[in-house]
Amino acid sequence: MNIAVIAGDGIGKDVTAEAVKVLGALGQMSGWKPTLEHLPWSADHYLKTGETLPANGYDLLKSFDAVFVGALGDPRVPDNRHARDILLGARFELDLYVNYRPVKLLDSRLCPLRDRGTQDVNFVVFRENTEGVYVSVGGRFKAGTEDEVAIQEEINTYKGVHRIVRHAFEYARANRLTKVCMADKSNAMQHGHALWQRVFKAVAADFPGITATHQYIDALAMFLVKDPGQYEVIVTNNLFGDIITDIGGALQGGLGMAASGNIHPGRTSLFEPVHGSAPPLAGKNVANPIGAILSTALMLEYLGHVNEARKVERAVAQAVAEGQTTSDIGGSLGTTQVGDRIVEIIRR
Ligand SMILES: NC(=O)c1ccc[n+]([C@@H]2O[C@H](COP(=O)([O-])OP(=O)(O)OC[C@H]3O[C@@H](n4cnc5c(N)ncnc54)[C@H](O)[C@@H]3O)[C@@H](O)[C@H]2O)c1
């Protein structure tokens, strides 16, 4: 198992150290040894060298079995050029079209909603990851004047929409789930999202055992707060998926709890916590490493190490149940102590 590790910026470095610790412990216990290659790509590296990633950077990433990323984003790089090249670039260049974001509440006391518990928050979001408004098609005319025109196009292709919608249904079937909800804004975005409507209906017809529903994204945002228990699988576009998975993070107890995979089935894929680099918390041993550690579980599962993945998830659940956590979810441990505790539980 060859894994590229990009710790990145801010708390990305803090949480990646804990994720690496967990991988190391699992490797020792199971007899397989993951080979981790640490890549320095980050704001520091960019500011020092002027290079966001090397010319062969994406090919290099493709030579690994998987890529693990901490977080990217640094106020010293105001346009976040390095983060765009490294993270968005990898999503596009490795064609990681599935953004897989499980939303699972591990302990009812972490839920910010009144009278809701673990039985109400357990669903997955599939966010389209290679199109939408993130493709950077557009431009500014008369920038900086009162006549400025700013255009940011949203790209939806049949291929792009079809493959993510199909993936959501296939995931539901493989995991014995019975509900897939597609969210768009087809009432206002009558061209691009008409494509989502057409494709969703056509794909749903191939999965007769699965109830396919549609909600406008604004209604879905409301229902995520009011009645999250109605969802099993949600599929949506790049921008809406980005936004609603932050709501998902909050439902799990906070952004520090949320894990994700950027996947092209069968190819090198990239795993990262949902949160960003949170610069004010960086280097203070306060960042919650659980989202990063759970992202290693997603990576292990993707690479076929299902037992190890379950071990990590169970250890995290136990640490949370014991309150052995960072302060953002009510504990009093530091980042490194949470990692140590999770490793200790895994070793047992
Ligand atoms: N995938 C990524 O690398 C990614 C994702 C989002 C944002 N970013 C970048 O990160 C930088 C900061 O962005 P932001 O502040 O909007 O989002 P953020 O996710 O870094 O932080 C948002 C809030 O959540 C809290 N938080 C996040 N992760 C946490 C953790 N592990 N433990 C405890 N608390 C945590 C922070 O304190 C902050 O209040 C920006 O440069 C942004 O572009 C990167």
Side-chain angles (χ1 to χ4, degrees):
M1 207 165 46
N2 289 315
I3 297 166
V5 177
I6 304 170
D9 305 322
I11 63 165
K13 295 180 190 154
D14 306 348
V15 299
T16 299
E18 303 315 304
V20 165
K21 207 187 262 178
V22 167
L23 280 175
L26 283 168
Q28 271 176 1
M29 286 171 59
S30 330
W32 47 260
K33 211 169 158 32
T35 308
L36 306 182
E37 183 163 335
H38 293 266
L39 303 174
W41 309 346
S42 60
D44 283 342
H45 181 73
Y46 172 58
L47 292 170
K48 202 160 30 163
T49 64
E51 172 190 86
T52 56
L53 74 174
N56 67 343
Y58 302 123
D59 286 336
L60 178 65
L61 292 183
K62 287 178 196 166
S63 70
F64 291 93
D65 295 316
V67 182
F68 184 89
V69 174
L72 290 151
D74 188 305
R76 294 171 300 164
V77 186
D79 63 358
N80 257 340
R81 166 192 301 258
H82 69 298
R84 236 186 10 247
D85 280 4
I86 299 164
L87 194 55
L88 287 184
R91 287 176 181 168
F92 295 137
E93 296 294 327
L94 277 65
D95 199 25
L96 305 173
Y97 65 90
V98 177
N99 197 220
Y100 169 45
R101 296 188 162 189
V103 178
K104 184 173 181 188
L105 177 65
L106 295 181
D107 194 306
S108 297
R109 86 189 141 74
L110 301 185
C111 189
L113 306 178
R114 192 179 57 215
D115 300 332
R116 300 284 179 195
T118 49
Q119 70 284 357
D120 300 301
V121 181
N122 187 8
F123 57 90
V124 302
V125 178
F126 288 105
R127 163 187 172 190
E128 200 293 318
N129 213 25
T130 52
E131 302 192 342
V133 296
Y134 290 70
V135 296
S136 208
V137 172
R140 289 165 76 196
F141 178 51
K142 299 189 179 176
T145 74
E146 290 190 357
D147 294 322
E148 178 164 347
V149 179
I151 296 175
Q152 188 92 37
E153 297 290 355
E154 186 189 82
I155 304 298
N156 299 276
T157 68
Y158 177 83
K159 175 183 164 187
V161 177
H162 185 266
R163 63 186 183 174
I164 188 69
V165 168
R166 192 154 190 101
H167 187 87
F169 277 96
E170 281 170 356
Y171 175 92
R173 184 163 63 191
N175 290 278
R176 299 178 199 283
L177 299 172
T178 56
K179 294 191 281 188
V180 176
C181 178
M182 189 273 278
D184 65 17
K185 190 66 187 166
S186 50
N187 48 349
M189 304 178 75
Q190 290 165 355
H191 308 297
H193 295 197
L195 176 60
W196 279 79
Q197 287 283 325
R198 170 167 87 88
V199 170
F200 185 65
K201 285 180 189 140
V203 174
D206 292 340
F207 294 83
I210 294 175
T211 306
T213 57
H214 165 259
Q215 288 175 353
Y216 294 123
I217 189 65
D218 42 345
L220 181 124
M222 185 262 295
F223 283 123
L224 277 178
V225 175
K226 211 171 161 205
D227 179 24
Q230 68 178 277
Y231 301 107
E232 289 184 348
V233 177
I234 295 171
V235 60
T236 190
N237 71 18
N238 208 339
L239 179 63
F240 297 160
D242 191 358
I243 296 167
I244 64 164
T245 52
D246 269 31
I247 302 178
L251 294 176
Q252 289 168 272
L255 268 184
M257 299 296 287
S260 79
N262 299 260
I263 296 171
H264 186 124
R267 293 199 202 161
T268 303
S269 295
L270 182 155
F271 298 83
E272 52 165 351
V274 170
H275 63 75
S277 57
L281 309 185
K284 295 185 176 157
N285 198 31
V286 294
N288 185 346
I290 286 181
I293 292 171
L294 288 175
S295 300
T296 66
L298 298 183
M299 180 170 75
L300 288 164
E301 180 169 16
Y302 181 73
L303 295 174
H305 295 279
V306 179
N307 289 340
E308 280 80 8
R310 294 290 101 82
K311 257 185 219 167
V312 174
E313 287 165 357
R314 281 197 300 269
V316 166
Q318 188 180 327
V320 170
E322 291 171 349
Q324 306 271 354
T325 64
T326 45
S327 60
D328 55 307
I329 56 165
S332 58
L333 299 186
T335 310
T336 54
Q337 287 74 36
V338 173
D340 290 344
R341 178 68 189 135
I342 289 169
V343 164
E344 197 180 300
I345 299 170
I346 290 173
R347 285 224 165 92
R348 235 190 265 144

